[in-house]
């Protein structure tokens, strides 16, 4: 229902930085909760970060706090994930997701099944 196109993945050395972008369709993008998730080979998909529609509430996984920053530009229908001080354990496919629920429930923001649209994923590899 919402088409998401990701970009910005690549290969970096430990301590390096990358910025991921996710461009979304939809005339009501400003009302969507947007999230980033990641999945390493052989591992379950896990929550990374999320932002409410206005950017007023931000959520991070403990493993990325202080290193990653989620932001959005509603005029461009785009959400970003700035990743600094990258570690080998950050290596994964990163997915952008949109939640179009009418009512925002904070306890649901980290749950995979709360999101109804997903991007194709972009590979991030951090070499040691």
């Amino acid at each position: 229902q919402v088409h998401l196109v990701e970009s910005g993945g690549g290969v970096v050395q430990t301590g390096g930085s990358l910025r991921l972008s996710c461009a979304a369709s939809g005339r009501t993008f400003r009302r969507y909760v947007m999230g980033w998730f990641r999945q390493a080979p052989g591992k379950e998909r896990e929550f990374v970060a999320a932002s409410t529609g206005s950017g007023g509430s931000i959520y991070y996984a403990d493993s990325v706090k202080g290193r990653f920053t989620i932001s959005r530009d509603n005029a461009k229908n785009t959400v970003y994930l700035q990743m600094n001080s990258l570690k080998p354990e950050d290596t994964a496919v990163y997915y952008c997701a949109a939640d179009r629920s009418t009512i925002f429930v904070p306890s649901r923001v980290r749950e995979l099944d709360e999101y109804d649209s997903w991007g194709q994923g972009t590979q991030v590899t951090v070499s040691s």
Side-chain angles (χ1 to χ4, degrees):
Q1 293 178 305
V2 179
H3 184 57
L4 304 173
V5 180
E6 300 167 328
S7 62
V11 181
V12 297
Q13 295 181 331
T14 297
S17 298
L18 283 174
R19 188 184 73 163
L20 306 184
S21 298
C22 175
S25 65
R27 59 187 178 184
T28 56
F29 175 81
R30 66 186 181 279
R31 299 190 179 119
Y32 304 162
V33 175
M34 298 297 298
W36 287 97
F37 294 77
R38 66 187 183 187
Q39 187 168 19
K43 304 289 182 63
E44 297 295 324
R45 187 164 45 181
E46 66 177 0
F47 171 79
V48 176
S51 172
T52 55
S54 67
S57 295
I58 303 294
Y59 303 84
Y60 294 104
D62 288 343
S63 60
V64 307
K65 285 181 179 177
R67 300 189 299 121
F68 291 11
T69 302
I70 187 172
S71 62
R72 64 195 295 160
D73 186 341
N74 288 341
K76 296 181 178 180
N77 273 30
T78 302
V79 63
Y80 306 94
L81 185 68
Q82 178 67 46
M83 304 184 294
N84 299 325
S85 301
L86 283 162
K87 306 173 181 179
E89 51 263 47
D90 295 318
T91 295
V93 176
Y94 283 70
Y95 297 91
C96 176
D99 172 16
R100 300 182 299 134
S101 299
T102 302
I103 304 298
F104 174 63
V105 181
S107 63
R108 293 283 299 165
V109 75
R110 294 176 171 85
E111 301 297 322
L112 295 174
D113 64 1
E114 176 65 13
Y115 296 83
D116 47 39
S117 299
W118 294 84
Q120 80 286 353
T122 185
Q123 177 70 47
V124 172
T125 301
V126 184
S127 61
S128 60

